[in-house]
Amino acid sequence: MSAPDSTPEPDRRTAVLDSAMRTFARNGYRATSMDAIARDAKISRPGLYFLFSTKESLFREAVTRTLTEDLTAIEAVLADPATPLADRLLAAFDRWAGRYVGPMAQDIPAVIADNPDLLDEVATSAPDRFATLLHHALAQESPRAHDIAATLTSVSVGLKHQVQTRDTYLDRMRTAIDLLTP
């Protein structure tokens, strides 16, 4: 008989959610199986189904958790007065989109569009929250905060689909930020 698992339930759940996001990012939503997530999480398939009854519920919670953590981190980065505005903006865009250059950038918008009920309110309101955080950070430095935030967001969306690497994304975002901010 094996020793009981000493991993606390919240830690196991967090590890599974992290593995799920990695697997969805690598394979896309449709091509990701619960078996693949279980393998990546080093958990049995029945153990995975004990935590999450469906792939949809796992995806919903993983995306919601990631977006909530991202927005919390972005809020802290943008509120740091000791860091120059351009650096804060670049860090915010990196957290918001730079980390997701590649497969996830293409798959998550399709999943949202094809399955609007798949994700909860956090996922659908996150872009508005991000825009509000950008606007607030920029408003302290420029009367054109709304226009600058909207333009930088448009640049970011375009870059996610044009570049292949995070470094290229960050280089081009830095250029856009330097051109548009005071």
Side-chain angles (χ1 to χ4, degrees), residues 35-113:
D35 286 333
I37 295 168
R39 276 192 306 275
D40 190 73
K42 296 178 179 43
I43 188 173
S44 69
R45 188 171 179 222
L48 179 60
Y49 277 105
F50 176 76
L51 294 171
F52 301 95
S53 60
T54 65
K55 181 170 89 167
E56 292 83 8
S57 66
L58 174 55
F59 181 76
R60 181 182 305 112
E61 189 168 333
V63 169
T64 298
R65 178 177 163 272
T66 299
L67 287 172
T68 300
E69 287 178 354
D70 286 350
L71 288 169
T72 299
I74 288 165
E75 186 171 16
V77 163
L78 290 173
D80 179 9
T83 304
L85 177 62
D87 293 341
R88 288 185 280 151
L89 291 170
L90 187 62
F93 276 102
D94 184 35
R95 182 74 187 228
W96 182 247
R99 297 184 317 146
Y100 305 113
V101 170
M104 190 182 299
Q106 296 166 5
D107 192 59
I108 287 185
V111 171
I112 293 169

Side-chain angles (χ1 to χ4, degrees), residues 17 42-43 67 117 139 151 157 163 167 170 174-175 180-181:
L17 291 169
K42 296 178 179 43
I43 188 173
L67 287 172
D117 297 330
T151 302
V157 169
V163 301
D167 287 341
L170 291 172
R174 171 59 86 177
T175 299
L180 293 170
T181 58

